Amino acid sequence: MKRNITLFGMLAVAGLLAGILEGCKGPEGPAGPPGETTVVNLEGFKEGINCGDCHNPDTDTTYYVWARKYQWELSKHFFGGDFERSQSTCGGCHTTEGFIEAASGKTVTTHVDASPPGCFACHSPHSRGDFSLRINEPVTLNETVAGSGTATFDYGKGNLCAQCHKPRTLSPLPDPTKTAATDTITITSNRWYPHYGVQSQMLMGTGGFRFADYTYTGNSNHTDNSVIKQEGCIACHMADATAGSGIAGGHTMNINYNENSYLLNGCTVSGCHTSSGFTVDYIGASASLSGGLGTHTATEAYMDTLHQLLLDREWITESGSINASSGSPLKIAPGAKAGALFNYLFIEHDLSKGSHNTRYALELLKSSIQELRKL
Ligand code: HEC
Ligand code: HEC
Ligand code: HEC
Ligand code: HEC
Ligand code: HEC
């Protein structure tokens, strides 16, 4: 039923558009007649475009547009619900309308009736007549630890993802040099973290808080892996599922599906992991750091320990929220100790349980735990 309504609606609109388009020569799209509502983001149709190439579920085995729609509806991009964050400060990442503005170098404006990150955010199928990626320039990641500087994320097609899955700003920045007893950091918000999209930082091994007296040994293979350098996030998150095996990967962008199943096809491509016996809780080169445990098990165990240490100091509440507000700020001295709280939230928000960069995550956790165990 839904299918019929959508198709009918589409054909009706398509008829209207075709009418409008008759007078349109260039690829720029028509400017509305004076006095009519301006469609700010209409990028127009590529000349000679064949609507049926994509809008024809009967024969579309070129693009499988319908299949991609159903996959996308299983992604958090569709169902996450946060697309009401449609004001100008948020819509650049939370809405298609805002993202198109951001990606085309315009000022992001508020769109009350915005839609979640969808087909036209990541692609521009009408203006280009294909599904090439709207943008894949390297992305500058904000400085989130004092003295660390900005970083350039350059992982090929994954640059698209990092346009949104990147840190926002943070104040005050945690500072590893503030180790004197008199150096106090004052945290006035329970959202003292650079937002949620830290996966780009985690993958490239930046943005975590490094304590001055701990020796960090670097990153796991993923950071410099040649496949991941080209495909970025999509190497793992958009791998094709095996026919008949469940709906993950592709435009669902999910690795975990049906509760406890994992799509690992992206992990076991040639040159990476061998499929026999491989699980998401992989024990790899960081086994000495994980005490021989799998990545997820070890990361979660260290997170539990760190959670308890932060609770003991009353820096967080049971639910993991920071115990701070403007009326009742959290003061930590020496300020550098706040790095343990910062790392906890960084690893929590990465959500991969160490998979993105096991070595980096585990060393940040171990050093944070060590710091809080000092008197
Ligand atoms: C390269 C692929 C492609 C081509 C070619 C294409 N479209 Fe689309 N179009 C899409 C995608 C993807 C969507 C968004 C998903 C959807 O609603 O089907 C879309 C959406 C639409 C919508 C909105 C549908 C809705 O439910 O909101 C209309 C109307 C539309 N297209 C008309 C056209 C017309 C008219 C043409 C030919 C001039 C055309 N399209 C050619 C890919 C294409
Ligand atoms: C237009 C901005 C944007 C782009 C581009 C983007 N994302 Fe997202 N992504 C989001 C937002 C916003 C959410 C959370 C949606 C919500 O909560 O409503 C999200 C959620 C997700 C989630 C689910 C996270 C969870 O908490 O379960 C995954 C996985 C994901 N994105 C992967 C990707 C990958 C892989 C790419 C690149 C192919 C990508 N995203 C590109 C904005 C974006
Ligand atoms: C730089 C891009 C970007 C901007 C700007 C941005 N967000 Fe987000 N936000 C994201 C991404 C990406 C996610 C999803 C991360 C994930 O789940 O992995 C997200 C997730 C969220 C979530 C869901 C958190 C959760 O735990 O499920 C909320 C709420 C949110 N953002 C609110 C906002 C608000 C409010 C603003 C504006 C003040 C804003 N965001 C601006 C990228 C952004
Ligand atoms: C969050 C970003 C994102 C969203 C949203 C998104 N796509 Fe994609 N899409 C991608 C990426 C990344 C690829 C992989 C490109 C590659 O491998 O070169 C891709 C690939 C495709 C392809 C294959 C292109 C080819 O040439 O083989 C099609 C078709 C496609 N998308 C259609 C859609 C449709 C239809 C929607 C909406 C339902 C959609 N996409 C939404 C990011 C996105
Ligand atoms: C080497 C493979 C790989 C790469 C590359 C990768 N991820 Fe992941 N990602 C994973 C695995 C494995 C998980 C854990 C899945 C789980 O446990 O649900 C994960 C989890 C996530 C989650 C939480 C999703 C959820 O449903 O729990 C998000 C969001 C995410 N990744 C985004 C990204 C982004 C954005 C990039 C690129 C900057 C990226 N990932 C690169 C493998 C990868």
Side-chain angles (χ1 to χ4, degrees):
M1 198 52 201
K2 190 181 172 219
R3 183 182 293 222
N4 290 336
I5 292 170
T6 315
L7 195 58
F8 178 78
M10 196 192 74
L11 289 175
V13 182
L16 278 173
L17 284 171
I20 297 171
L21 281 174
E22 260 168 43
C24 165
K25 299 278 188 299
E28 276 304 303
E36 287 201 358
T37 313
T38 315
V39 186
V40 280
N41 283 332
L42 183 63
E43 299 175 297
F45 289 83
K46 189 179 175 185
E47 220 170 74
I49 193 173
N50 183 358
C51 315
D53 284 353
C54 302
H55 294 296
N56 188 346
D58 282 347
T59 56
D60 176 21
T61 48
T62 309
Y63 290 125
Y64 294 99
V65 167
W66 283 64
R68 261 102 191 193
K69 266 161 58 171
Y70 292 124
Q71 291 170 2
W72 173 73
E73 286 178 13
L74 293 171
S75 77
K76 203 173 175 183
H77 292 137
F78 170 73
F79 71 72
D82 292 310
F83 66 96
E84 36 67 273
R85 312 290 167 159
S86 54
Q87 62 270 47
S88 55
T89 43
C90 319
C93 302
H94 281 278
T95 72
T96 291
E97 291 76 1
F99 184 70
I100 293 177
E101 287 173 333
S104 39
K106 295 182 192 155
T107 306
V108 178
T109 56
T110 297
H111 298 275
V112 179
D113 294 318
S115 55
C119 319
F120 283 72
C122 299
H123 309 287
S124 183
H126 287 167
S127 74
R128 298 189 188 173
D130 62 27
F131 285 95
S132 54
L133 301 184
R134 174 178 289 282
I135 185 167
N136 61 2
E137 304 298 314
V139 180
T140 302
L141 306 181
N142 287 336
E143 175 180 66
T144 52
V145 174
S148 65
T150 58
T152 303
F153 180 91
D154 192 4
Y155 285 75
K157 292 173 187 168
N159 293 349
L160 169 74
C161 316
Q163 295 285 344
C164 299
H165 289 264
K166 67 182 178 188
R168 300 184 66 215
T169 54
L170 178 66
S171 178
L173 291 182
D175 187 342
T177 66
K178 301 290 185 206
T179 52
T182 47
D183 289 334
T184 304
I185 186 168
T186 305
I187 297 167
T188 57
S189 161
N190 64 0
R191 289 200 304 269
W192 183 69
Y193 42 79
H195 211 55
Y196 304 96
V198 296
Q199 295 88 7
S200 46
Q201 291 181 307
M202 182 63 89
L203 181 64
M204 69 180 284
T206 186
F209 186 97
R210 294 170 190 245
F211 291 92
D213 61 354
Y214 189 94
T215 307
Y216 296 89
T217 61
N219 301 300
S220 287
N221 167 289
H222 292 166
T223 304
D224 296 312
N225 181 290
S226 60
V227 175
I228 298 174
K229 274 287 188 184
Q230 285 171 29
E231 303 282 309
C233 325
I234 75 174
C236 305
H237 286 271
M238 291 185 76
D240 278 333
T242 307
S245 69
I247 307 177
H251 281 74
T252 74
M253 302 196 186
N254 291 327
I255 289 174
N256 180 208
Y257 65 104
N258 292 350
E259 301 279 329
N260 289 319
S261 302
Y262 293 89
L263 174 79
L264 302 175
N265 289 357
C267 318
T268 54
V269 298
S270 128
C272 295
H273 301 279
T274 40
S275 53
S276 137
F278 182 78
T279 72
V280 79
D281 202 17
Y282 179 60
I283 305 169
S286 306
S288 60
L289 285 168
S290 72
L293 297 172
T295 298
H296 281 199
T297 308
T299 305
E300 290 193 303
Y302 285 130
M303 280 295 277
D304 285 349
T305 304
L306 184 54
H307 180 94
Q308 191 56 50
L309 289 165
L310 293 166
L311 259 184
D312 292 346
R313 288 176 185 254
E314 296 182 5
W315 291 356
I316 59 170
T317 64
E318 196 67 51
S319 69
S321 170
I322 305 174
N323 233 336
S325 64
S326 49
S328 171
L330 173 62
K331 290 178 188 281
I332 296 175
K337 276 201 184 310
L341 173 61
F342 179 89
N343 283 341
Y344 172 81
L345 293 157
F346 177 56
I347 291 152
E348 176 76 17
H349 292 158
D350 170 64
L351 292 169
S352 79
K353 308 187 192 87
S355 289
H356 289 150
N357 190 345
T358 309
R359 177 167 296 275
Y360 191 58
L362 290 181
E363 289 188 341
L364 291 176
L365 282 167
K366 288 180 96 124
S367 57
S368 299
I369 290 168
Q370 177 183 297
E371 181 67 26
L372 292 191
R373 282 188 173 149
K374 290 182 198 162
L375 284 176

